[in-house]
Amino acid sequence: MRVDLHVHASERSGCSVSGEEEIIRAAIDFGLDGLAFTDHQVLVPAARLTELNAKFAPFRIFSGIEIHTIEEEDVLVIGVNDPRLEKRAWNYPALYEFVRDRAGFLAIAHPFRYREKVNIDFEDRVPDALEGASFNIRPERELLIRNLAEQLGCRLMCSSDAHFYDYVGLCRLVLDGNPANNEELVRLLRSGAYQCETDEDRMARARAGL
């Protein structure tokens, strides 16, 4: 199962130029089997998730959100559809504990995107993964990310960070299974039952602005 777990829709992310249904149709055309909308500080309402899953089945839409923390880092949360995620100014330790208590998946989005350090003291709060490849990760940063993942002892993941329908699935995960819901997806992710995949031709065209 191919999934893109870092996608923004214009209904909730003002920086996105494509709506959720346009993005889903593009994802299907690009051979994806599922995605998570990870809008900035906003969840897809549970009723809308149910509606989208019914409309586009067997394509799957999972619960996700991107949180900008007090440390000025971005964190992807997958599989937790708790509105309290939207309501707080989160620091990383509190967000980590909140997600862990709800059996979710937590990954650092585009590390080193804005600076040559990550502003988080991880201590014993190691994320499930670092995002190691996306449209918004420059190739020269990938070695820094791999080195940090090795230092922390965590996995890498990849995703598109798409804000435009034509970029969805540029990077994606190939899951070793076919999760039917958030809980099954999180179990696969946290067990590392996936491989990273990049559509190199599409990525090259996207970065060239073609």
Side-chain angles (χ1 to χ4, degrees):
M1 183 177 187
R2 283 178 166 80
V3 297
D4 186 347
L5 300 181
H6 187 177
V7 179
H8 298 273
S10 59
E11 287 85 354
R12 292 165 300 277
S13 289
C15 51
S16 178
V17 298
S18 298
E20 55 193 12
E21 294 199 14
E22 183 180 30
I23 288 170
I24 292 168
R25 291 188 178 93
I28 293 168
D29 288 344
F30 289 132
L32 297 182
D33 304 296
L35 60 76
F37 288 114
T38 51
D39 294 302
H40 300 287
Q41 313 294 132
V42 182
L43 292 158
V44 183
R48 181 58 174 159
L49 274 178
T50 299
E51 180 183 354
L52 290 171
N53 275 295
K55 182 172 183 175
F56 291 100
F59 190 88
R60 297 294 306 169
I61 301 95
F62 300 100
S63 182
I65 192 170
E66 182 175 350
I67 300 291
H68 188 69
T69 69
I70 289 171
E71 297 91 346
E72 297 191 344
E73 297 291 345
D74 295 307
V75 181
L76 299 174
V77 176
I78 305 296
V80 179
N81 202 27
D82 189 322
R84 284 174 289 184
L85 281 168
E86 305 172 321
K87 306 300 183 185
R88 291 180 53 179
W90 292 96
N91 61 50
Y92 177 76
L95 179 61
Y96 178 94
E97 298 300 336
F98 188 89
V99 174
R100 279 286 174 268
D101 287 346
R102 287 150 186 83
F105 177 84
L106 181 145
I108 308 302
H110 40 64
F112 304 105
R113 181 179 181 183
Y114 303 110
R115 63 191 76 86
E116 292 188 358
K117 59 179 286 189
V118 174
N119 288 339
I120 293 174
D121 183 0
F122 291 102
E123 296 183 355
D124 58 347
R125 298 182 180 90
V126 176
D128 295 301
L130 305 181
E131 191 176 49
S134 81
F135 177 73
N136 284 317
I137 293 174
R138 300 197 303 273
E140 63 268 24
R141 298 295 199 192
E142 292 179 6
L143 180 58
L144 285 173
I145 298 169
R146 289 196 299 272
N147 287 344
L148 179 58
E150 183 175 347
Q151 175 188 332
L152 294 174
C154 71
R155 297 181 176 87
L156 295 171
M157 64 172 289
C158 56
S159 50
S160 69
D161 195 4
H163 292 66
F164 172 49
Y165 76 91
D166 205 33
Y167 291 177
V168 67
L170 288 175
C171 298
R172 60 266 181 145
L173 299 180
V174 183
L175 303 175
D176 299 338
N178 187 24
N181 53 46
N182 288 322
E183 292 75 18
E184 292 177 11
L185 173 64
V186 169
R187 280 197 293 272
L188 285 174
L189 294 174
R190 294 193 65 187
S191 68
Y194 62 82
Q195 297 81 44
C196 289
E197 185 175 79
T198 298
D199 188 324
E200 300 289 356
D201 290 342
R202 287 180 60 217
M203 180 67 83
R205 292 197 302 272
R207 285 186 165 149
L210 300 176

